[in-house]
Amino acid sequence: MLTVAFELDGQSFTALNGGPVFKFNEAISFQINCESQDELDYYWEKLSEGGDEKAQQCGWLKDKYGVSWQVVPTVLPAMLSDPDHDKSESVMRPCSR
């Protein structure tokens, strides 16, 4: 069994190679908060490369290792709470990405 300890942006993590019994699922995902469309596009392109295309929608994706990621614009909370009900509702409508 292989374990590794690492740090990302000051946050400590421990990863374990649990073999074929333990697989990645959506119960765990990493979130990347992005300030601009260019930043969103950059992370989306890099992380989705080689990943499951069926698992890529509405800010969620799976990378080539099966790890789930959320690529989120930092303006999302403001968009969801917009006083204009039509605008806030449109944020949650089905999307293609």
Side-chain angles (χ1 to χ4, degrees):
M1 190 173 307
L2 173 70
T3 61
V4 61
F6 60 99
E7 185 176 301
L8 297 173
D9 198 21
Q11 176 66 46
S12 297
F13 294 88
T14 302
L16 168 70
N17 176 353
V21 175
F22 299 104
K23 300 189 183 298
F24 288 118
N25 65 48
E26 294 78 10
I28 298 293
S29 65
F30 292 100
Q31 182 173 331
I32 301 172
N33 294 310
C34 299
E35 296 291 333
S36 68
Q37 186 65 50
D38 287 341
E39 193 176 15
L40 281 161
D41 293 342
Y42 172 82
Y43 285 110
W44 189 272
E45 180 182 327
K46 297 295 182 189
L47 291 168
S48 65
E49 187 176 318
D52 180 359
E53 290 183 21
K54 292 181 232 160
Q56 299 176 4
Q57 64 178 352
C58 298
W60 288 80
L61 65 88
K62 281 190 181 181
D63 67 18
K64 63 185 176 184
Y65 303 105
V67 176
S68 292
W69 294 84
Q70 300 173 59
V71 184
V72 181
T74 55
V75 299
L76 184 62
M79 294 168 68
L80 289 169
S81 62
D82 192 294
D84 182 329
H85 185 68
D86 290 336
K87 281 185 180 179
S88 62
E89 285 287 316
S90 71
V91 176
M92 296 305 293
R93 286 194 193 116
C95 60
S96 60
R97 173 171 165 233

